[in-house]
Amino acid sequence: MPATDSNRPATSTSRIKLYNALNFIQSASALTFSTFAVIHGAQIAAAAVYGVDVADRWLLLGRPFYQDQHLESILVTGSVAVHIVSSIAKKSLGHKSSTTVVLPFHSGTGVALIPLTTLHYLLARTLPAKHFGDSAFVDFGHIAWGLQNWPILTYGLHSALIGASAYHIISGTSIAIQRVFGRSRKNEQGDPLKKNQLESFKQRSIVPIKPVVVGVISLFLLGGLIVVGQTKKIPLRKEYAQIYQMWIPLWRS
């Protein structure tokens, strides 16, 4: 028994170190994916401000940054996979950080985003690539077709995706930045306790602002989605219809 008791502090320290490492990995992967999210969100927002034609140009211009053979596996699929795995690993340790200041449903929206992003990725990336051999030229007309012909399903999916993404990203960005970039200041002189208290105060002070930011961004992006849904010229209507039938097998008649 004494030997077991003597091992407890070492075990506890190891678990804390592992948890802190997972914190860093989780936060770094979140910020990596946020790079893609900001680019893609700006493309949707462009539709609300400048119209679909400009949004399509932004879509095509932005794709080389996140649909490159190597960059996509880092910015999109890779960062999401790492974020999910590290989050699950953290949960399994059962340790909670006292410095984490996020909105109430942060974890819930994260879980919801797994099926939402998967469905969107299948619709916008995987199935067009399967149908055409490439998805690099697919524009907002693809989503517009779904919004016009399957409005409940398509609006429902993308509205939920916008809301959950905005909530989850805005909720966790500040703490993710602190965890990733705050580590570089750990060797600065000063009282560590006071620094932690100050950082905790800063994090808590911006919590009331986060729901407002989430609401503004969500409404703005939903406005862009509505504008996309009003697209009149969709040259590849037949092809997009076939892709949607691949997306939901029950649609086939």
Side-chain angles (χ1 to χ4, degrees):
M1 289 298 293
T4 303
D5 291 339
S6 64
N7 287 333
R8 285 178 181 173
T11 302
S12 178
T13 301
S14 298
R15 287 173 66 88
I16 292 174
K17 287 183 178 180
L18 176 58
Y19 186 85
N20 289 337
L22 290 171
N23 257 342
F24 179 82
I25 294 171
Q26 181 192 45
S27 299
S29 59
L31 294 177
T32 301
F33 181 78
S34 295
T35 303
F36 157 73
V38 169
I39 295 173
H40 199 35
Q43 294 163 344
I44 301 171
V49 179
Y50 303 109
V52 179
D53 290 339
V54 173
D56 277 333
R57 287 198 291 271
W58 283 29
L59 186 67
L60 296 177
L61 287 173
R63 275 188 174 145
F65 293 101
Y66 57 82
Q67 283 193 2
D68 175 82
Q69 181 179 359
H70 304 292
L71 287 178
E72 183 175 22
S73 61
I74 297 174
L75 289 179
V76 186
T77 54
S79 61
V80 168
V82 171
H83 189 68
I84 293 173
V85 171
S86 58
S87 299
I88 294 173
K90 274 181 57 180
K91 200 76 172 178
S92 67
L93 290 177
H95 177 75
K96 293 185 178 180
S97 173
S98 59
T99 61
T100 301
V101 183
V102 293
L103 294 175
F105 303 105
H106 181 78
S107 296
T109 52
V111 173
L113 281 170
I114 296 175
L116 292 174
T117 53
T118 299
L119 287 170
H120 177 72
Y121 189 83
L122 285 171
L123 175 64
R125 185 79 170 102
T126 305
L127 293 180
K130 182 178 180 181
H131 184 77
F132 294 113
D134 187 10
S135 65
F137 63 89
V138 175
D139 58 16
F140 277 115
H142 180 36
I143 301 300
W145 189 94
L147 294 172
Q148 294 173 10
N149 293 274
W150 298 93
I152 295 177
L153 183 64
T154 312
Y155 269 113
L157 169 64
H158 291 91
S159 296
L161 181 58
I162 287 172
S165 297
Y167 190 99
H168 193 73
I169 291 173
I170 297 302
S171 172
T173 295
S174 61
I175 191 67
I177 292 173
Q178 189 273 326
R179 285 173 176 170
V180 173
F181 298 103
R183 294 164 70 94
S184 63
R185 299 193 299 269
K186 66 180 180 180
N187 293 324
E188 292 180 357
Q189 293 182 351
D191 187 341
L193 179 59
K194 289 183 178 180
K195 287 183 178 181
N196 288 336
Q197 290 175 340
L198 178 60
E199 185 59 42
S200 178
F201 173 76
K202 289 179 180 178
Q203 292 292 334
R204 294 179 188 280
S205 66
I206 63 175
V207 169
I209 305 173
K210 290 182 178 182
V212 178
V213 177
V214 171
V216 171
I217 292 176
S218 297
L219 289 174
F220 199 63
L221 294 180
L222 285 172
L225 186 67
I226 292 172
V227 172
V228 169
Q230 296 174 347
T231 303
K232 295 181 179 179
K233 294 182 179 180
I234 306 178
L236 299 176
R237 284 183 178 273
K238 292 182 179 180
E239 289 79 1
Y240 292 154
Q242 293 172 358
I243 291 174
Y244 274 82
Q245 289 173 353
M246 294 166 60
W247 189 46
I248 302 294
L250 294 178
W251 292 1
R252 295 173 179 170
S253 57

